[in-house]
Tab-separated table of all heavy atoms in Angstrom:
chain	number	residue	atom	x	y	z
G	170	TYR	N	-18.513	54.137	17.709
G	170	TYR	CA	-18.157	54.180	19.137
G	170	TYR	C	-18.595	52.879	19.810
G	170	TYR	O	-17.812	52.269	20.551
G	170	TYR	CB	-18.816	55.391	19.832
G	170	TYR	CG	-18.477	55.459	21.302
G	170	TYR	CD1	-17.291	55.988	21.753
G	170	TYR	CD2	-19.326	54.872	22.203
G	170	TYR	CE1	-16.996	56.018	23.093
G	170	TYR	CE2	-19.006	54.876	23.581
G	170	TYR	CZ	-17.869	55.455	24.018
G	170	TYR	OH	-17.536	55.448	25.316
G	176	PHE	N	-13.230	56.336	19.888
G	176	PHE	CA	-13.277	56.562	21.330
G	176	PHE	C	-13.628	58.058	21.503
G	176	PHE	O	-13.879	58.747	20.546
G	176	PHE	CB	-11.929	56.189	21.924
G	176	PHE	CG	-11.691	54.697	21.899
G	176	PHE	CD1	-11.206	54.075	20.734
G	176	PHE	CD2	-12.049	53.890	22.968
G	176	PHE	CE1	-11.037	52.709	20.682
G	176	PHE	CE2	-11.892	52.512	22.915
G	176	PHE	CZ	-11.401	51.942	21.764
G	177	VAL	N	-13.604	58.532	22.747
G	177	VAL	CA	-14.090	59.850	23.026
G	177	VAL	C	-13.345	60.953	22.237
G	177	VAL	O	-13.959	61.859	21.738
G	177	VAL	CB	-14.126	60.166	24.543
G	177	VAL	CG1	-14.440	61.597	24.816
G	177	VAL	CG2	-15.136	59.259	25.233
G	185	ASP	N	-17.230	68.621	16.753
G	185	ASP	CA	-16.787	69.964	16.282
G	185	ASP	C	-17.160	70.121	14.828
G	185	ASP	O	-17.597	71.193	14.406
G	185	ASP	CB	-15.224	70.039	16.385
G	185	ASP	CG	-14.784	70.329	17.800
G	185	ASP	OD1	-15.664	70.636	18.642
G	185	ASP	OD2	-13.570	70.272	18.082
G	216	GLY	N	-19.746	71.223	42.104
G	216	GLY	CA	-18.663	70.352	42.552
G	216	GLY	C	-18.056	69.626	41.380
G	216	GLY	O	-17.021	68.970	41.511
G	242	ARG	N	-21.162	74.562	34.018
G	242	ARG	CA	-20.697	73.534	34.939
G	242	ARG	C	-20.596	74.139	36.318
G	242	ARG	O	-20.655	75.309	36.531
G	242	ARG	CB	-19.395	72.978	34.442
G	242	ARG	CG	-18.359	74.067	34.236
G	242	ARG	CD	-17.256	73.549	33.381
G	242	ARG	NE	-16.197	74.488	33.292
G	242	ARG	CZ	-15.079	74.290	32.612
G	242	ARG	NH1	-14.894	73.151	31.992
G	242	ARG	NH2	-14.138	75.178	32.554
G	243	ASP	N	-20.408	73.217	37.307
G	243	ASP	CA	-20.282	73.631	38.704
G	243	ASP	C	-21.546	74.439	39.082
G	243	ASP	O	-21.421	75.481	39.721
G	243	ASP	CB	-18.988	74.457	38.856
G	243	ASP	CG	-18.499	74.514	40.318
G	243	ASP	OD1	-18.927	73.643	41.126
G	243	ASP	OD2	-17.704	75.443	40.628
G	269	THR	N	-18.520	61.738	43.819
G	269	THR	CA	-18.546	62.759	44.861
G	269	THR	C	-19.591	63.814	44.570
G	269	THR	O	-20.026	64.533	45.457
G	269	THR	CB	-17.183	63.423	44.987
G	269	THR	OG1	-16.727	63.772	43.713
G	269	THR	CG2	-16.210	62.457	45.588
G	272	LEU	N	-24.452	62.675	44.199
G	272	LEU	CA	-25.577	62.678	45.138
G	272	LEU	C	-26.380	63.965	45.104
G	272	LEU	O	-27.529	63.985	45.467
G	272	LEU	CB	-25.007	62.453	46.579
G	272	LEU	CG	-24.340	61.085	46.724
G	272	LEU	CD1	-23.731	61.000	48.118
G	272	LEU	CD2	-25.328	59.954	46.516
G	276	LYS	N	-31.106	65.461	45.128
G	276	LYS	CA	-31.794	66.615	45.719
G	276	LYS	C	-32.481	67.434	44.667
G	276	LYS	O	-33.614	67.908	44.869
G	276	LYS	CB	-30.757	67.508	46.465
G	276	LYS	CG	-30.303	66.991	47.761
G	276	LYS	CD	-29.522	68.038	48.486
G	276	LYS	CE	-28.969	67.493	49.780
G	276	LYS	NZ	-28.015	68.427	50.405
Y	158	TYR	N	-16.027	75.277	48.455
Y	158	TYR	CA	-17.464	75.122	48.751
Y	158	TYR	C	-17.735	75.165	50.245
Y	158	TYR	O	-18.461	74.352	50.798
Y	158	TYR	CB	-17.990	73.801	48.142
Y	158	TYR	CG	-17.720	73.664	46.689
Y	158	TYR	CD1	-16.677	72.879	46.197
Y	158	TYR	CD2	-18.531	74.340	45.742
Y	158	TYR	CE1	-16.443	72.766	44.849
Y	158	TYR	CE2	-18.291	74.216	44.363
Y	158	TYR	CZ	-17.239	73.406	43.936
Y	158	TYR	OH	-17.029	73.260	42.600
Y	163	ASP	N	-23.592	70.361	51.379
Y	163	ASP	CA	-23.236	69.007	50.905
Y	163	ASP	C	-21.742	68.788	51.014
Y	163	ASP	O	-20.970	69.718	51.221
Y	163	ASP	CB	-23.612	68.868	49.414
Y	163	ASP	CG	-25.141	69.005	49.263
Y	163	ASP	OD1	-25.855	68.231	49.886
Y	163	ASP	OD2	-25.575	69.858	48.475
Y	168	THR	N	-12.438	71.920	43.868
Y	168	THR	CA	-12.296	71.871	42.397
Y	168	THR	C	-11.543	73.109	41.892
Y	168	THR	O	-11.368	74.041	42.657
Y	168	THR	CB	-13.659	71.837	41.684
Y	168	THR	OG1	-14.359	73.026	41.957
Y	168	THR	CG2	-14.522	70.632	42.048
Y	227	GLU	N	-8.505	72.283	30.225
Y	227	GLU	CA	-9.742	71.615	29.841
Y	227	GLU	C	-9.374	70.261	29.226
Y	227	GLU	O	-8.552	70.211	28.273
Y	227	GLU	CB	-10.529	72.487	28.850
Y	227	GLU	CG	-11.074	73.759	29.452
Y	227	GLU	CD	-11.920	73.476	30.654
Y	227	GLU	OE1	-12.708	72.486	30.644
Y	227	GLU	OE2	-11.834	74.231	31.647
Y	232	LEU	N	-7.789	65.552	24.883
Y	232	LEU	CA	-8.430	64.430	24.145
Y	232	LEU	C	-8.332	64.651	22.591
Y	232	LEU	O	-7.947	63.753	21.857
Y	232	LEU	CB	-9.897	64.265	24.587
Y	232	LEU	CG	-10.098	63.667	25.953
Y	232	LEU	CD1	-11.487	63.884	26.422
Y	232	LEU	CD2	-9.748	62.194	25.955
Y	233	LYS	N	-8.630	65.893	22.211
Y	233	LYS	CA	-8.529	66.164	20.751
Y	233	LYS	C	-7.056	66.249	20.320
Y	233	LYS	O	-6.736	65.839	19.221
Y	233	LYS	CB	-9.242	67.505	20.436
Y	233	LYS	CG	-10.718	67.424	20.594
Y	233	LYS	CD	-11.286	68.798	20.220
Y	233	LYS	CE	-12.659	69.032	20.878
Y	233	LYS	NZ	-13.098	70.402	20.697
Y	236	PHE	N	-4.944	63.542	18.657
Y	236	PHE	CA	-4.920	63.367	17.195
Y	236	PHE	C	-4.350	64.561	16.507
Y	236	PHE	O	-3.626	64.390	15.504
Y	236	PHE	CB	-6.385	63.142	16.714
Y	236	PHE	CG	-6.881	61.771	17.004
Y	236	PHE	CD1	-7.405	61.478	18.243
Y	236	PHE	CD2	-6.770	60.778	16.049
Y	236	PHE	CE1	-7.832	60.202	18.539
Y	236	PHE	CE2	-7.206	59.492	16.317
Y	236	PHE	CZ	-7.743	59.198	17.542
Y	278	ASP	N	-13.032	53.045	28.074
Y	278	ASP	CA	-14.282	53.666	27.583
Y	278	ASP	C	-14.046	55.120	27.187
Y	278	ASP	O	-14.914	55.783	26.687
Y	278	ASP	CB	-15.438	53.538	28.568
Y	278	ASP	CG	-15.047	53.525	30.004
Y	278	ASP	OD1	-13.883	53.836	30.269
Y	278	ASP	OD2	-15.882	53.178	30.859
Y	279	LEU	N	-12.848	55.632	27.421
Y	279	LEU	CA	-12.532	57.002	26.994
Y	279	LEU	C	-11.476	56.977	25.880
Y	279	LEU	O	-11.650	57.651	24.842
Y	279	LEU	CB	-11.920	57.760	28.174
Y	279	LEU	CG	-12.878	58.422	29.171
Y	279	LEU	CD1	-12.074	59.019	30.323
Y	279	LEU	CD2	-13.704	59.537	28.485
Y	281	SER	N	-8.613	54.863	23.343
Y	281	SER	CA	-8.395	53.548	22.737
Y	281	SER	C	-7.171	52.919	23.346
Y	281	SER	O	-6.212	53.595	23.779
Y	281	SER	CB	-8.185	53.683	21.242
Y	281	SER	OG	-6.950	54.249	20.960
Y	390	TRP	N	-16.796	57.420	49.220
Y	390	TRP	CA	-17.664	58.591	49.437
Y	390	TRP	C	-17.819	58.745	50.922
Y	390	TRP	O	-18.232	57.784	51.607
Y	390	TRP	CB	-18.988	58.385	48.713
Y	390	TRP	CG	-19.947	59.457	48.978
Y	390	TRP	CD1	-21.119	59.372	49.666
Y	390	TRP	CD2	-19.842	60.826	48.566
Y	390	TRP	NE1	-21.742	60.579	49.728
Y	390	TRP	CE2	-20.983	61.483	49.083
Y	390	TRP	CE3	-18.886	61.561	47.842
Y	390	TRP	CZ2	-21.209	62.844	48.843
Y	390	TRP	CZ3	-19.114	62.911	47.625
Y	390	TRP	CH2	-20.273	63.547	48.123
Side-chain angles (χ1 to χ4, degrees):
Chain G
Y170 179 85
F176 292 83
V177 173
D185 283 350
R242 54 198 187 179
D243 202 17
T269 48
L272 298 175
K276 284 191 184 171
Chain Y
Y158 304 102
D163 297 305
T168 62
E227 290 307 320
L232 287 166
K233 292 180 204 170
F236 284 83
D278 32 12
L279 276 175
S281 71
W390 174 248

